[in-house]
């Protein structure tokens, strides 16, 4: 059985880490398969959104401490280190993090160490009530190196990052929600339904606008205000396709656009 499943349905790519016996820890095979999956997702025009989750009771327990970490710590040469720096864990924590299409994390259980980094690399995170989040690297003699510190600070702030990284103690789903680490916590059995609903909300929109918005968010993080404002304006006023916008406006005018609320409610 493959250690990663990759399926496509209705413009959604489903990526599932499939090592439940190891809490979906990332070994070299999973890393390679993830890189292949994200490359295909990036290049396939038939899919516009991805949902990433884990099989069984865990989302991802991080890099496999028996097969992934020891070769790097023990005898990785300069070329291997350069490869790691360029690509990151699972390909999209670094290297392919600029994929323009949205990636939704359906966090079904433990997101630990590199699994936390993988979750944070998703654009939107929906969590099961059973989800747990932790950064235990300091217990093993190192710390995050694949975006965990950067994204934790950017997403949750310095205080949360300090607490999680320096104590190496986990937080539960409700604490993660309060920290803005996840956007929603739902009953476990409804997790994929909620992730697919989020995907549906994205899919009703102009994908040109969605991808430009994602690009703009990534571009302006940490930049001076004037640069942020100019980048936002430039991207906003250049992303629209005139014909698509005209069509979407017509749907708004005749009250037929998907997902309307209020007196003129429509289905997604």
């Amino acid at each position: 059985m493959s250690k990663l499943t990759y399926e496509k349905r209705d413009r959604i790519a489903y990526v599932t880490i499939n090592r439940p016996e190891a809490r979906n820890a990332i070994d070299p095979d999973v890393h390679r398969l993830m890189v292949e999956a994200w490359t295909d997702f990036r290049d396939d025009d038939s899919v516009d959104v991805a949902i990433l989750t884990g099989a069984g009771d865990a989302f991802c327990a991080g890099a496999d401490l028996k097969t992934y970490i020891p070769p790097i710590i023990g005898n990785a040469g300069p070329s291997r280190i350069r490869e790691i720096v360029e690509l990151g864990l699972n390909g999209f924590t670094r290297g392919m993090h600029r994929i323009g299409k949205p990636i939704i994390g359906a966090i079904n259980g433990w997101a630990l160490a590199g699994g936390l980094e993988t979750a944070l690399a998703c654009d939107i995170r929906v969590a099961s009530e059973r989800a747990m989040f932790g950064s235990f690297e300091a217990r093993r003699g190192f710390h995050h190196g694949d975006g965990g510190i950067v994204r934790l600070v950017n997403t949750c702030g310095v205080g949360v990052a300090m607490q999680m990284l320096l104590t190496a103690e986990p937080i539960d789903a409700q604490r993660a929600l309060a920290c803005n680490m996840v956007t929603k916590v739902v009953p476990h059995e409804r997790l994929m339904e909620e992730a697919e609903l989020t995907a549906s909300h994205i899919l009703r929109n102009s994908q040109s606008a969605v991808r430009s918005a994602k690009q703009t968010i990534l571009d302006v993080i940490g930049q001076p205000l004037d640069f942020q404002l100019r980048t936002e304006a430039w991207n906003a006023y250049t992303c629209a396709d005139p014909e698509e916008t005209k069509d979407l406006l017509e749907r708004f005018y005749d009250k037929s656009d998907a997902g309307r609320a209020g007196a003129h409610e429509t289905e997604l």
Side-chain angles (χ1 to χ4, degrees):
M1 183 179 293
S2 176
K3 296 178 180 180
L4 187 85
T5 64
Y6 180 53
E7 303 171 306
K8 305 172 191 179
R9 298 190 302 275
D10 301 323
R11 297 170 61 196
I12 302 173
Y14 294 83
V15 183
T16 305
I17 307 171
N18 192 33
R19 292 189 73 207
E21 74 287 353
R23 290 195 170 185
N24 298 318
I26 307 299
D27 68 3
D29 291 335
V30 174
H31 173 76
R32 173 182 54 81
L33 291 167
M34 287 276 270
V35 171
E36 292 174 0
W38 295 127
T39 301
D40 183 87
F41 170 63
R42 179 193 66 194
D43 297 339
D44 188 347
D45 291 337
S46 73
V47 285
D48 291 304
V49 181
I51 297 175
L52 172 65
T53 194
D57 296 329
F59 175 74
C60 176
D64 192 302
L65 296 179
K66 293 181 179 179
T67 62
Y68 192 91
I69 295 296
I72 297 172
I73 299 298
N75 55 13
S79 61
R80 175 62 177 137
I81 296 298
R82 179 176 290 274
E83 177 187 345
I84 293 168
V85 169
E86 292 295 329
L87 197 55
L89 184 70
N90 294 326
F92 84 123
T93 61
R94 187 171 55 253
M96 291 198 295
H97 66 285
R98 297 305 297 251
I99 293 173
K101 303 173 184 178
I103 299 171
I104 300 166
I107 316 302
N108 56 304
W110 274 99
L112 178 62
L116 176 62
E117 292 179 305
T118 299
L120 289 170
C122 297
D123 302 307
I124 299 172
R125 288 164 293 281
V126 181
S128 158
E129 61 194 352
R130 302 179 189 175
M132 295 288 291
F133 302 83
S135 174
F136 290 3
E137 280 88 340
R139 302 188 191 184
R140 319 293 180 222
F142 49 95
H143 61 68
H144 286 304
D146 290 301
I149 293 177
V150 172
R151 290 190 174 96
L152 197 56
V153 170
N154 286 341
T155 302
C156 303
V158 171
V160 173
M162 287 288 192
Q163 188 241 338
M164 291 189 68
L165 293 166
L166 305 189
T167 67
E169 285 292 321
I171 63 174
D172 63 17
Q174 290 299 332
R175 174 63 175 153
L177 181 64
C179 294
N180 295 322
M181 187 181 294
V182 300
T183 59
K184 186 180 289 188
V185 176
V186 300
H188 185 75
E189 62 274 9
R190 286 182 45 215
L191 178 63
M192 288 305 295
E193 176 186 340
E194 289 292 335
E196 289 173 335
L197 178 61
T198 300
S200 296
H201 288 152
I202 293 170
L203 290 172
R204 71 178 167 182
N205 301 326
S206 161
Q207 296 309 297
S208 174
V210 165
R211 296 177 194 183
S212 181
K214 176 176 175 176
Q215 175 190 340
T216 303
I217 292 167
L218 294 178
D219 284 350
V220 303
I221 292 172
Q223 297 296 326
L225 177 61
D226 285 353
F227 177 88
Q228 293 184 22
L229 293 172
R230 184 175 181 84
T231 300
E232 178 190 38
W234 177 264
N235 289 353
Y237 288 103
T238 59
C239 76
D241 175 86
E243 291 302 317
E244 180 187 45
T245 298
K246 180 181 177 181
D247 177 62
L248 292 172
L249 286 173
E250 288 295 335
R251 296 183 203 176
F252 170 75
Y253 298 147
D254 64 22
K255 301 179 176 57
S256 65
D257 48 322
R260 291 181 71 99
H264 304 289
E265 183 175 353
T266 58
E267 295 182 359
L268 277 173

